[in-house]
Every structure is written in C-alpha cells, then in structure tokens.
Amino acid sequence: MPVKIRKYGLFIDGKETDSVSGKTYIRENPATEEPFAEIAEAQKEDIEIAVKAAGKAFEAWSKVPAAERIKLIHRIAENIDRNKETIALTNTLETGKPIRESRSVEIGGAVRTLEYYTGAATRLNGESISVSENQLTVTLKEPLGVVAQIVPWNFPLLLSLWKIAPALAAGCTIVLKPAEHTPCGILEVARLCSEAGLPDGVLNVVPGMGEVAGQSLVEHPDVAKVAFTGSTAVGKLVMRTAAETIKRISLELGGKAPCIVFGDADIENTIEAALRGGFFNQGENCTAITRLLLHEDIYDKFLPPFIDRVKQIRQGDPQNEETELGSLISKEHFDNVKSYFEKGLEEGGQALHGGGRPKSMKKGYFFEPTVLADVEPDSTVACEEIFGPIVAVIPFKTEEEAVRIANDTVYGLAGGIWTRDIKKALRVAKAVRAGYMWVNTYGGIVPETPYGGFKQSGIGKELGTEGLDMYLETKAVNIYIGDKIPAWYKG
Ligand code: NAD
C-alpha cells in the first residue's frame, strides 16, 4: 500500500501557512526509504514575515506577568504530554530512532525541561547594589527580544525545547528553524503550544534549508540573539554572520567525548554505561562516547564481555517497542559513517563487531553497533566527529597519558571517568577540558544542570539557571539618593 504523504506548512503568527513562493520539499522515512512528508520550505521573504510576527508579539509577551507565563508553560507541558504518542510516532518516522527513545527522551525530556523553567520564570531577579551612602544601583533582568533558534536533526524535539522553554520563561519571542530532515515533530509541538494558549507570534517555526532560511535568520537585523546547535563548521559561519549586527550568540557544537576507564573500574557497570554512551540514539549524539580509553590492566578483561553485549543490541524497525537501535538519519550520513569505519581499518583499527548494514535489514539506513579496537589516538576515527554508532577503543598506561589523549582534540563537550578512587576521579574530572563530565556513570543531561562545550564545542550554556541567563540582558540602574549631587564644574 502506498504511504500517505503528510503535509506540513510553516508555523507563523499562530497559523500554519504555505511559504510565499509555494516551495516545498519531501522528507523520507530513513528506516524505510519511503517519502512520508511534504514540507513548506521557507525562503528569505518567509523569514521576514516570521521575524516581524515575533517582533510584534514581543511587545505584549515581554510584559506578561511571570505568574501567568508559568501557568501557560505548564499548560504547554501538559498538552505535549497528553499528545506524546502522536508526536513520538512522528519523531520516530522522521529520525529513524526507536519509539521508546522518542517517547521517553525526546518527549519526556522536553516536558521535564518545560516544567523546570516554570520555576525559573519567577526568579528573573536582579540585585540591589549599595555603591555608596548616596548611591544605590539596582540591576534589572530584561528579555533580549526576538531570538533565532537553529537546531540539528539528532534530537529535534528535546533540543528545541531546551531552547524554547528558557526563552519563553525569560519573555523572549522565537523564530525556530528546525533541521531540514526533522521539522515535522516540532511543527506539531508548535500547534500544541498554540492550543494551550500561547499568544500568536510568540513561537514561529520555519522549516527550510540552512543556507537560505537559517542564513536569513542569522542575518536579520531585528533578531537579538542566535541560539545555535549543530556542527562546529556551521557554528563558525553563524558566529561570523552574527558578528555583523553584534547579536548575542550561544553555540552548542560538535564533540569527541572520551570515556576513561581505569584498572580499578567496576567492569559490569562500565560496560552498561559504555553501551549507552556509545550506541544510544544510533551514536548520533554529540556526547556519544567515541573514544573509549581502556587502561592496559583491563583491556583484555573488558572487551570480550563488552562485545557480547554489543551483539545483543536489538536493531530493527524503530516503531517496534522492543527495538533498541534504529536507523541513521539519511543515506548521505550512512555513507559518511561507513567511510569513517573503512578509514579506521586502513589506519590499523581492528573491527571487533559491526561495520555496515545488518544482514537482516534490506532497506533503511541501519548501521550496526560497531567497535574498533587498538585505535591510535591520532588516527582519523579518534580525532574527527563521526556521529554514528562507532566506538574507537584506545589503550593507555598512565593517568597522565589518559588525560593527554582525552584533551588532544579541538572539541571539549563531554567526557566520562570510571574508577573507584575518588581522588583520581576528581583529579581527572578537573584536568579534562570539557563542559560536562560523568563519573562512574555516563549519559543523561537533566534540565537542572548547565550544559555546554569548551574549546570548539561551543560558547555559552543551555539548561539550568545559566541557560535562562542566555535569554536575558542585565541593565544597571544607578539611583542617587542624596539631596544635592556633587558639583563637577566649580564656576
Ligand atoms: P548542521 O550544522 O549541519 O546543521 C544544524 C542546523 O544549522 C540545521 O538546522 C541547518 O539547517 C542549519 N544551518 C546550516 N547552514 C546554516 C547557515 N549557513 N546558517 C544558519 N543555519 C544553518 O548540523 P547537523 O548535521 O544538523 O547536526 C549534527 C551536528 O550537531 C554534530 O556536529 C553534533 O555534534 C552537533 N550537535 C551538538 C549538540 C550540542 O549540544 N553541543 C547537540 C546535538 C548536535
């Protein structure tokens, strides 16, 4: 039976609309390679309309009392939760990820983030600073204005809500550009926000190509800030473009996370965490463990049981509740991941498992969970971001060597440490130049904690109170409370 193609418009000023040009594009389901959605494609003129709508909405939205904003954000969270099965299915259709991850991580995490920021909306407090007897200064926290939010395809809902929730709490209005591959779920969420009572124009969603819709948004003079998540290469471009109008920017970029396992680690737990760290979300995860650093004392003890567990990962139809590993996002990405695997072999890595499409899958961009052992720390697979289910295993001898390898990258997003020695764990956590570290666990980023990269992994933070600050400007108001101001000119 032919698949029914769903239709999606742009979401501007509370309504779904066609693009001015009428241009659309087709998205396929990566697990079946069949088209499933036709999506309106925003051009420069559509971005103009969306930014105007957001600018108009800002006047009223920025003045809505925090208590009312909180109630509304709560209602949005409830509405998304009520509709989670529908949105989870859309998310799985457009990403190829297992339905259980769509439901619990994308929707569950999105709802949790909204709930966290309902609390934050009541704490947009400045300070009062006593400068001298006659002078008092108060600081005000003011919303930035219209913000552009540009997101990638790997967690299209979770990462959008990491941006939308604090922006709403702060009183900003939003024009969000989803990734080309994954606009459908977030368009459904925008509709649900509107149904929950979000005023028209506060959240606009404009699917389109990065170099057209994304670029126009970053260039737009009425956009105060760009919150970007994506590759380091595009992040540099965004930073350059945003410089033209001195926009505020926050950048969440690529990663090459190391996970350092010392000789005294609890092997069973480490294996559990390494599976999740390496293969969760098909390895299409900026914090994925792509470099598993194993101390020489446990190298041979760790790998056989690890590979046994890797072989048991259930890969298949993402809509099946039992599936643990789905398909990659696109053919282009599949080919890219495959070429990294081949490069890894050429450069001396040993394939312990995986390396291509599983024999049981006839269609779809499924790539097996893959482990390359004996990888040289300076080889391509150990240095470049692969963004797929390939774990490179690197042996090491000393703590100093492990830290040196961990830091020998332009990235600095996340990392993990496994040891029973608390002093060593803290020493290494401090020595690794990355923004988010796990000790004796791996993976899971919660809204309470600030998250963001060091080095070329980004600028600024998302989540936590620092994530909210990214949508606020601090204004100092100096108040003279004496009788007569001191004379400067004596005549
Ligand atoms: P990408 O950089 O290709 O695209 C990201 C977004 O930028 C998309 O919406 C795209 O359309 C848009 N874009 C492209 N060109 C643009 C331009 N010239 N101006 C404005 N916008 C433009 O990244 P991707 O392939 O979608 O996602 C994978 C990358 O994202 C990986 O590098 C991954 O590490 C990174 N990522 C980082 C985090 C994090 O939190 N640090 C989280 C998820 C993904």
PDB file of all heavy atoms in Angstrom, residues 192-210:
ATOM      1  N   LEU A 192       0.520  22.570  19.283  1.00  0.00           N
ATOM      2  CA  LEU A 192       0.056  22.255  20.646  1.00  0.00           C
ATOM      3  C   LEU A 192       0.277  23.435  21.597  1.00  0.00           C
ATOM      4  O   LEU A 192      -0.510  23.672  22.504  1.00  0.00           O
ATOM      5  CB  LEU A 192       0.773  21.012  21.187  1.00  0.00           C
ATOM      6  CG  LEU A 192       0.484  19.705  20.454  1.00  0.00           C
ATOM      7  CD1 LEU A 192       1.384  18.584  20.972  1.00  0.00           C
ATOM      8  CD2 LEU A 192      -0.983  19.312  20.617  1.00  0.00           C
ATOM      9  N   CYS A 193       1.361  24.179  21.365  1.00  0.00           N
ATOM     10  CA  CYS A 193       1.634  25.368  22.203  1.00  0.00           C
ATOM     11  C   CYS A 193       0.514  26.383  21.987  1.00  0.00           C
ATOM     12  O   CYS A 193      -0.003  26.983  22.930  1.00  0.00           O
ATOM     13  CB  CYS A 193       2.967  26.011  21.818  1.00  0.00           C
ATOM     14  SG  CYS A 193       4.401  25.011  22.211  1.00  0.00           S
ATOM     15  N   SER A 194       0.146  26.552  20.738  1.00  0.00           N
ATOM     16  CA  SER A 194      -0.906  27.494  20.388  1.00  0.00           C
ATOM     17  C   SER A 194      -2.236  27.068  21.013  1.00  0.00           C
ATOM     18  O   SER A 194      -2.938  27.876  21.635  1.00  0.00           O
ATOM     19  CB  SER A 194      -1.002  27.526  18.857  1.00  0.00           C
ATOM     20  OG  SER A 194      -1.654  28.624  18.428  1.00  0.00           O
ATOM     21  N   GLU A 195      -2.555  25.792  20.897  1.00  0.00           N
ATOM     22  CA  GLU A 195      -3.782  25.235  21.505  1.00  0.00           C
ATOM     23  C   GLU A 195      -3.805  25.468  23.001  1.00  0.00           C
ATOM     24  O   GLU A 195      -4.851  25.691  23.590  1.00  0.00           O
ATOM     25  CB  GLU A 195      -3.767  23.720  21.317  1.00  0.00           C
ATOM     26  CG  GLU A 195      -4.622  23.187  20.211  1.00  0.00           C
ATOM     27  CD  GLU A 195      -4.434  21.664  20.149  1.00  0.00           C
ATOM     28  OE1 GLU A 195      -4.477  20.961  21.201  1.00  0.00           O
ATOM     29  OE2 GLU A 195      -4.200  21.219  19.029  1.00  0.00           O
ATOM     30  N   ALA A 196      -2.623  25.412  23.630  1.00  0.00           N
ATOM     31  CA  ALA A 196      -2.542  25.586  25.088  1.00  0.00           C
ATOM     32  C   ALA A 196      -2.692  27.058  25.480  1.00  0.00           C
ATOM     33  O   ALA A 196      -2.744  27.382  26.659  1.00  0.00           O
ATOM     34  CB  ALA A 196      -1.216  25.034  25.603  1.00  0.00           C
ATOM     35  N   GLY A 197      -2.704  27.953  24.499  1.00  0.00           N
ATOM     36  CA  GLY A 197      -2.946  29.366  24.789  1.00  0.00           C
ATOM     37  C   GLY A 197      -1.765  30.286  24.541  1.00  0.00           C
ATOM     38  O   GLY A 197      -1.825  31.473  24.877  1.00  0.00           O
ATOM     39  N   LEU A 198      -0.683  29.784  23.965  1.00  0.00           N
ATOM     40  CA  LEU A 198       0.459  30.671  23.695  1.00  0.00           C
ATOM     41  C   LEU A 198       0.036  31.713  22.658  1.00  0.00           C
ATOM     42  O   LEU A 198      -0.466  31.360  21.586  1.00  0.00           O
ATOM     43  CB  LEU A 198       1.651  29.849  23.167  1.00  0.00           C
ATOM     44  CG  LEU A 198       2.975  30.610  23.087  1.00  0.00           C
ATOM     45  CD1 LEU A 198       3.502  30.942  24.479  1.00  0.00           C
ATOM     46  CD2 LEU A 198       4.033  29.795  22.332  1.00  0.00           C
ATOM     47  N   PRO A 199       0.219  33.001  22.957  1.00  0.00           N
ATOM     48  CA  PRO A 199      -0.246  34.025  22.014  1.00  0.00           C
ATOM     49  C   PRO A 199       0.416  33.892  20.635  1.00  0.00           C
ATOM     50  O   PRO A 199       1.573  33.466  20.535  1.00  0.00           O
ATOM     51  CB  PRO A 199       0.178  35.336  22.684  1.00  0.00           C
ATOM     52  CG  PRO A 199       0.349  35.011  24.114  1.00  0.00           C
ATOM     53  CD  PRO A 199       0.784  33.578  24.183  1.00  0.00           C
ATOM     54  N   ASP A 200      -0.320  34.286  19.612  1.00  0.00           N
ATOM     55  CA  ASP A 200       0.188  34.218  18.236  1.00  0.00           C
ATOM     56  C   ASP A 200       1.502  34.987  18.121  1.00  0.00           C
ATOM     57  O   ASP A 200       1.655  36.073  18.691  1.00  0.00           O
ATOM     58  CB  ASP A 200      -0.830  34.841  17.264  1.00  0.00           C
ATOM     59  CG  ASP A 200      -2.103  34.015  17.190  1.00  0.00           C
ATOM     60  OD1 ASP A 200      -2.119  32.894  17.745  1.00  0.00           O
ATOM     61  OD2 ASP A 200      -3.088  34.498  16.584  1.00  0.00           O
ATOM     62  N   GLY A 201       2.426  34.427  17.396  1.00  0.00           N
ATOM     63  CA  GLY A 201       3.678  35.125  17.112  1.00  0.00           C
ATOM     64  C   GLY A 201       4.774  34.900  18.143  1.00  0.00           C
ATOM     65  O   GLY A 201       5.927  35.242  17.893  1.00  0.00           O
ATOM     66  N   VAL A 202       4.424  34.314  19.299  1.00  0.00           N
ATOM     67  CA  VAL A 202       5.461  34.112  20.321  1.00  0.00           C
ATOM     68  C   VAL A 202       6.422  32.996  19.892  1.00  0.00           C
ATOM     69  O   VAL A 202       7.632  33.087  20.072  1.00  0.00           O
ATOM     70  CB  VAL A 202       4.834  33.811  21.711  1.00  0.00           C
ATOM     71  CG1 VAL A 202       5.909  33.436  22.730  1.00  0.00           C
ATOM     72  CG2 VAL A 202       4.043  35.020  22.200  1.00  0.00           C
ATOM     73  N   LEU A 203       5.865  31.948  19.277  1.00  0.00           N
ATOM     74  CA  LEU A 203       6.717  30.860  18.765  1.00  0.00           C
ATOM     75  C   LEU A 203       6.387  30.637  17.285  1.00  0.00           C
ATOM     76  O   LEU A 203       5.255  30.298  16.935  1.00  0.00           O
ATOM     77  CB  LEU A 203       6.451  29.563  19.541  1.00  0.00           C
ATOM     78  CG  LEU A 203       7.107  28.303  18.968  1.00  0.00           C
ATOM     79  CD1 LEU A 203       8.631  28.408  18.986  1.00  0.00           C
ATOM     80  CD2 LEU A 203       6.659  27.058  19.746  1.00  0.00           C
ATOM     81  N   ASN A 204       7.362  30.859  16.441  1.00  0.00           N
ATOM     82  CA  ASN A 204       7.208  30.633  14.999  1.00  0.00           C
ATOM     83  C   ASN A 204       8.207  29.560  14.580  1.00  0.00           C
ATOM     84  O   ASN A 204       9.354  29.577  15.047  1.00  0.00           O
ATOM     85  CB  ASN A 204       7.491  31.933  14.238  1.00  0.00           C
ATOM     86  CG  ASN A 204       6.642  33.070  14.770  1.00  0.00           C
ATOM     87  OD1 ASN A 204       5.490  33.226  14.407  1.00  0.00           O
ATOM     88  ND2 ASN A 204       7.196  33.861  15.688  1.00  0.00           N
ATOM     89  N   VAL A 205       7.768  28.648  13.724  1.00  0.00           N
ATOM     90  CA  VAL A 205       8.668  27.567  13.275  1.00  0.00           C
ATOM     91  C   VAL A 205       8.748  27.603  11.752  1.00  0.00           C
ATOM     92  O   VAL A 205       7.730  27.522  11.059  1.00  0.00           O
ATOM     93  CB  VAL A 205       8.166  26.193  13.773  1.00  0.00           C
ATOM     94  CG1 VAL A 205       9.093  25.080  13.283  1.00  0.00           C
ATOM     95  CG2 VAL A 205       8.085  26.162  15.294  1.00  0.00           C
ATOM     96  N   VAL A 206       9.968  27.761  11.260  1.00  0.00           N
ATOM     97  CA  VAL A 206      10.168  27.960   9.815  1.00  0.00           C
ATOM     98  C   VAL A 206      11.129  26.912   9.228  1.00  0.00           C
ATOM     99  O   VAL A 206      12.325  27.133   9.131  1.00  0.00           O
ATOM    100  CB  VAL A 206      10.717  29.381   9.534  1.00  0.00           C
ATOM    101  CG1 VAL A 206       9.632  30.420   9.689  1.00  0.00           C
ATOM    102  CG2 VAL A 206      11.879  29.722  10.469  1.00  0.00           C
ATOM    103  N   PRO A 207      10.577  25.773   8.793  1.00  0.00           N
ATOM    104  CA  PRO A 207      11.459  24.783   8.167  1.00  0.00           C
ATOM    105  C   PRO A 207      12.059  25.319   6.881  1.00  0.00           C
ATOM    106  O   PRO A 207      11.438  26.168   6.213  1.00  0.00           O
ATOM    107  CB  PRO A 207      10.532  23.600   7.870  1.00  0.00           C
ATOM    108  CG  PRO A 207       9.152  24.052   8.115  1.00  0.00           C
ATOM    109  CD  PRO A 207       9.179  25.354   8.853  1.00  0.00           C
ATOM    110  N   GLY A 208      13.224  24.857   6.558  1.00  0.00           N
ATOM    111  CA  GLY A 208      13.865  25.304   5.316  1.00  0.00           C
ATOM    112  C   GLY A 208      15.321  24.907   5.318  1.00  0.00           C
ATOM    113  O   GLY A 208      15.803  24.278   6.268  1.00  0.00           O
ATOM    114  N   MET A 209      16.011  25.289   4.269  1.00  0.00           N
ATOM    115  CA  MET A 209      17.416  24.914   4.140  1.00  0.00           C
ATOM    116  C   MET A 209      18.290  25.845   4.997  1.00  0.00           C
ATOM    117  O   MET A 209      17.984  27.037   5.131  1.00  0.00           O
ATOM    118  CB  MET A 209      17.875  24.994   2.679  1.00  0.00           C
ATOM    119  CG  MET A 209      17.072  24.124   1.730  1.00  0.00           C
ATOM    120  SD  MET A 209      17.069  22.375   2.224  1.00  0.00           S
ATOM    121  CE  MET A 209      15.327  22.010   2.303  1.00  0.00           C
ATOM    122  N   GLY A 210      19.390  25.299   5.499  1.00  0.00           N
ATOM    123  CA  GLY A 210      20.259  26.078   6.366  1.00  0.00           C
ATOM    124  C   GLY A 210      20.814  27.310   5.686  1.00  0.00           C
ATOM    125  O   GLY A 210      20.780  28.417   6.243  1.00  0.00           O
TER     126      GLY A 210
END
